[in-house]
């Protein structure tokens, strides 16, 4: 069997990352240069700064990943890049780099959707089995989909407003926690108790999600306590919020597992790194006798390895882009 090597590029937000992936499953090299410390000074990602830092870092990351893998450009079979969705300026740095390398090295160009990357992170060092239920939990998306095969899917549920990761970040700001919000909420919640009663939303669709109301409950609770000159127990409130947010995920996933008689399931997206979510979804899968895959922590957050994994089925189908490829900040899967 020929060993197909894909050089993958990910610059959709504030991580400058490249990887070399062999046959869609093996990561030969991965470099992630984070901008987190810079954006933390502003309480969140500043798009203009992010794109400028990608431009400064991209050639350094390329040199590093090639050195790690100890391979030459002629040994690369294709160039893959995140082309959507994300911050437009950030995406453009990756897309233009990929197009340049594709032209200079005379290699096929593969456009990858960032969310598909998160899904295919489950193929790194392990193997997805179809059909399956995919749960996507990230800063911009909360979705449930049924996948029959590679790139064959039906979305059965999604958020009606805020995504779960977005809600984590907003609540973190309410509690005056630093960027990034999600991990800091999780850390604070680990020291608290679920002493605050927070309701989860009843959604229109049987597998849909809603986090705007949960966030508003936290806002109102903090405001009312301040009006009464009472002290908020931030650890308890973080714990209560996290449990309510994840309870809604488990509730909807459980419905889908029963209704669709699911045997295989994957979890994808940055929020898949949350320890409570991983524990609860694992317990549910065990209870329902579902085969569950969750990516290793290093592949949960934004990285180029997942982009290379997602590009491999497209490579086999010769689903290539040309040099007119452009970035799309709003691209859906």
């Amino acid at each position: 069997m020929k060993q197909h090597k894909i050089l993958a590029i990910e610059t959709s937000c504030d991580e400058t990352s490249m990887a070399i992936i062999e046959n869609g499953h093996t990561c030969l090299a991965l470099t992630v240069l984070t901008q987190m410390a810079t954006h933390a000074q502003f309480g969140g990602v500043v798009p203009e700064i992010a794109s400028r830092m990608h431009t400064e870092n991209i050639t350094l990351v390329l040199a590093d990943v090639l050195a790690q893998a100890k391979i030459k450009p002629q040994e690369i079979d294709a160039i893959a890049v995140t082309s959507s969705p994300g911050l437009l300026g950030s995406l453009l740095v990756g897309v233009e780099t990929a197009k340049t390398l594709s032209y200079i090295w005379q290699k096929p160009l593969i456009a990858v959707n960032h969310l598909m990357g998160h899904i295919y992170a489950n193929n790194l060092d392990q193997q997805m089995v179809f059909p399956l239920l995919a749960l996507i939990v990230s800063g911009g998306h909360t979705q449930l989909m049924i996948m029959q095969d590679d790139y064959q899917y039906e979305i059965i549920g999604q958020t009606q407003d805020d995504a779960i990761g977005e809600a984590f970040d907003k609540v973190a700001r309410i509690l005056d926690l630093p960027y990034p919000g999600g991990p800091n909420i999780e850390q604070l919640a680990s020291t608290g108790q679920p002493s605050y009663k927070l309701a989860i939303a009843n959604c229109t669709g049987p597998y849909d999600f809603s986090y705007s109301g949960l966030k508003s409950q936290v806002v109102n609770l903090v405001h009312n306590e301040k009006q009464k000159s009472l002290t908020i127990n931030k650890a308890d409130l973080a714990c209560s919020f996290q449990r309510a947010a994840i309870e809604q995920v488990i509730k909807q996933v459980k419905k889908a597992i029963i209704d669709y008689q699911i045997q295989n399931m994957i979890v994808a997206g940055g929020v898949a790194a949350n320890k409570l979510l991983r524990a609860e979804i694992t317990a549910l899968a065990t209870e329902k006798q579902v085969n569950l895959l969750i990516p290793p922590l290093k592949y949960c957050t934004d990285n180029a390895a997942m982009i290379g994994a997602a590009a491999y089925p497209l490579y086999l189908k010769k689903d290539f882009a040309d040099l007119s490829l452009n970035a799309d900040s709003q691209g859906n899967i």
Side-chain angles (χ1 to χ4, degrees):
M1 180 180 178
K2 178 172 169 51
Q3 305 303 306
H4 299 288
K5 297 179 180 65
I6 295 176
L7 172 69
I9 304 171
E10 156 62 28
T11 62
S12 65
C13 190
D14 62 335
E15 259 53 65
T16 311
S17 181
M18 289 195 191
I20 297 174
I21 303 300
E22 188 173 77
N23 291 350
H25 300 288
T26 305
C27 182
L28 301 181
L30 170 63
T31 298
V32 181
L33 196 54
T34 182
Q35 305 174 11
M36 192 176 295
T38 298
H39 295 290
Q41 302 173 56
F42 305 97
V45 177
V46 180
E48 294 81 1
I49 294 176
S51 56
R52 190 183 314 133
M53 292 185 72
H54 283 310
T55 303
E56 293 169 355
N57 296 332
I58 196 81
T59 54
L60 301 175
V61 172
L62 174 61
D64 187 68
V65 81
L66 289 173
Q68 275 188 56
K70 297 179 181 177
I71 65 174
K72 298 175 181 178
Q74 54 264 38
E75 298 176 75
I76 299 293
D77 293 288
I79 311 294
V81 63
T82 304
S83 59
S84 66
L87 300 175
L88 185 59
S90 293
L91 287 168
L92 282 168
V93 176
V95 168
E96 292 306 313
T97 300
K99 287 161 64 174
T100 300
L101 294 177
S102 172
Y103 178 77
I104 293 173
W105 294 350
Q106 291 296 290
K107 303 295 182 182
L109 178 65
I110 304 171
V112 176
N113 182 283
H114 181 77
L115 295 182
M116 277 297 173
H118 279 302
I119 288 172
Y120 280 87
N122 285 281
N123 258 354
L124 292 165
D125 304 331
Q126 49 192 17
Q127 178 74 54
M128 295 192 297
V129 177
F130 299 104
L132 58 80
L133 175 69
L135 168 68
I136 304 173
V137 278
S138 69
H141 297 80
T142 308
Q143 291 180 329
L144 276 172
M145 64 169 66
I146 302 293
M147 295 188 71
Q148 298 296 340
D149 206 338
D150 286 315
Y151 284 86
Q152 296 179 18
Y153 60 87
E154 174 194 1
I155 297 173
I156 62 170
Q158 56 192 337
T159 183
Q160 297 174 347
D161 37 63
D162 291 352
I164 186 171
E166 182 183 0
F168 267 82
D169 288 339
K170 288 179 176 178
V171 169
R173 286 196 289 272
I174 294 164
L175 298 180
D176 298 319
L177 297 178
Y179 173 84
N184 284 307
I185 284 278
E186 181 181 4
Q187 183 177 6
L188 183 60
S190 68
T191 67
Q193 298 295 324
S195 61
Y196 293 95
K197 302 301 179 186
L198 299 173
I200 63 173
N202 290 316
C203 301
T204 305
Y207 316 111
D208 285 342
F209 305 87
S210 172
Y211 286 100
S212 179
L214 181 59
K215 174 205 67 180
S216 295
Q217 288 179 70
V218 175
V219 170
N220 293 335
L221 195 154
V222 171
H223 175 75
N224 291 338
E225 295 295 274
K226 285 182 177 179
Q227 290 292 98
K228 298 173 185 175
S229 299
L230 298 175
T231 301
I232 290 285
N233 186 319
K234 291 185 177 182
D236 282 6
L237 186 51
C239 181
S240 301
F241 162 77
Q242 178 176 251
R243 284 186 177 274
I246 291 172
E247 183 183 341
Q248 184 176 157
V249 172
I250 300 303
K251 177 184 173 184
Q252 303 304 72
V253 169
K254 187 174 183 178
K255 271 188 205 172
I257 287 174
I258 294 170
D259 293 350
Y260 284 87
Q261 299 181 323
I262 296 298
Q263 293 182 315
N264 303 296
M265 180 182 172
I266 64 164
V267 183
V271 184
N274 182 282
K275 292 177 183 175
L276 179 62
L277 176 62
R278 292 171 84 94
E280 293 290 327
I281 209 80
T282 299
L284 176 62
T286 301
E287 175 195 334
K288 296 300 180 185
Q289 297 183 312
V290 171
N291 299 314
L292 174 68
L293 290 185
I294 307 177
L297 288 174
K298 65 180 177 179
Y299 298 137
C300 286
T301 51
D302 292 352
N303 67 88
M306 68 185 195
I307 302 304
Y312 185 62
L314 300 175
Y315 175 80
L316 294 179
K317 294 191 296 182
K318 294 184 168 32
D319 188 352
F320 302 139
D322 58 35
L323 296 181
S324 68
L325 177 67
N326 204 354
D328 180 2
S329 62
Q330 302 297 322
N332 295 316
I333 55 177

